[in-house]
Amino acid sequence: MNIKWRTQNVRNWVYVTGIGRSGTTFVGKVLSLPLSVDYIHEPFNPECGLPGMNRWDPYIRPSLDSPEEKAFHEQVKAIFTYDFELRTLVPKYDSHLKQTLKRMVGSRGPVCLALAKLNPFHQAAVLKAPIGLFLTEYMYLHFHVKPVIIIKHPVSVIASLRRVGWSPKPSQVLNQPHLLEDYFADDMDFVHRHWEDPVLAIADYWRIVHKVLLAQSKQYSSWQVITHEALSEKPIPMFQSLYHSLNLPWTPRIENKIRHFTEHKVRLPKETQIHSFARSSKDIFTTRLNSIPKETRQKIFDIVQDVALQVYPRDSFAID
């Protein structure tokens, strides 16, 4: 099959990113509901992405200053012709049956990519890339993707990460000299802080991520920056507006699907359940906020406030 034929009609590339547990999977799922929209799952993830991707949260300057950045760029080009493969991830927390099925047919990434390659109706594609947070500007300038940045309240992110046992560390991103030079040259006291408390380390990581993303998004008026809380409060109008801005086809079937995903009674996920789509969206934030003690919320606020207050009011932390 001619590789170019696979993507010659895909002219609309949507790039969904955000910190882990911010709702990027849900948003990517909803935006790719139309048959004409393909879904590409986490191509930059070291565990299940493109072969050769070996670091978390890479930062690439759009100017491609180093040989390593130029080599990375050549690899990324393949995404836009579908001339690439994704690795299968078989998590230990999966049931024995799920593990067996994934080893036989592949995990979400390879399966969705295979469907995309075979889709004769595709006109758009959603690249869901939470590990590509710091690649957003690069992807926008070089490949004309339409960024959709999902921001989730830091307290809610921390509560969600604690539930699934994930602990992203500031050190995993701050060992990139170009990132430090471009965004943290005046913030080195913060860069060199060390946190014994893993909750505060996640707060530090939240601040790092959003300091970069908010600074970039202010340069480009076409970028869609939306909060998880706004999506949860008014999912139908928010997604309808997002579909319109991204030039994706909105239909009554899609509206009904979103209602199904967001209007259920609150159901707490199992400890090993990473994603739970069918939930009461309006109740998610309150549930997460109340799971973190007030004194811990104050410490989180003290770390993130200069960045968080660009998006959230102080009273959203419920510390007064």
Side-chain angles (χ1 to χ4, degrees), residues 6 28 42 59 68 74 82 101-102 107 127 164 170 175 190-191 215 219 222-223 235 298 304:
R6 294 174 181 163
E42 301 200 16
Y59 174 67
E68 292 78 15
E74 290 302 312
Y82 287 6
L101 288 173
K102 286 181 179 180
S107 56
L127 306 178
V164 297
N175 60 354
F190 177 82
V191 167
Q219 301 178 62
S222 64
W223 288 23
Q298 177 67 62
V304 305

Side-chain angles (χ1 to χ4, degrees), residues 104-232:
M104 291 175 59
V105 302
S107 56
R108 181 182 301 163
V111 169
C112 290
L113 178 58
L115 293 173
K117 290 180 177 181
L118 294 171
N119 183 6
F121 305 105
H122 57 203
Q123 298 178 9
V126 171
L127 306 178
K128 182 253 185 176
I131 311 304
L133 287 158
F134 301 129
L135 299 176
T136 307
E137 185 178 37
Y138 154 75
M139 294 290 286
Y140 173 72
L141 293 177
H142 281 277
F143 300 106
H144 310 294
V145 300
K146 297 177 179 177
V148 178
I149 297 170
I150 313 300
I151 300 179
K152 188 176 182 179
H153 196 283
V155 175
S156 190
V157 166
I158 289 168
S160 186
L161 286 169
R162 289 177 66 194
R163 182 184 70 78
V164 297
W166 295 354
S167 296
K169 296 176 175 60
S171 59
Q172 75 187 44
V173 296
L174 292 177
N175 60 354
Q176 302 183 81
H178 285 172
L179 181 69
L180 294 181
E181 184 178 337
D182 291 349
Y183 292 98
F184 296 93
D186 60 349
D187 205 8
M188 294 307 292
D189 288 344
F190 177 82
V191 167
H192 293 305
R193 289 184 194 177
H194 176 72
W195 306 100
E196 296 292 342
D197 186 337
V199 167
L200 302 186
I202 297 173
D204 186 327
Y205 177 76
W206 189 99
R207 180 183 181 271
I208 293 166
V209 165
H210 293 90
K211 180 174 182 177
V212 175
L213 286 178
L214 289 173
Q216 290 182 350
S217 67
K218 290 174 182 176
Q219 301 178 62
Y220 308 106
S221 60
S222 64
W223 288 23
Q224 303 295 315
V225 180
I226 54 179
T227 67
H228 181 275
E229 294 74 30
L231 279 174
S232 298

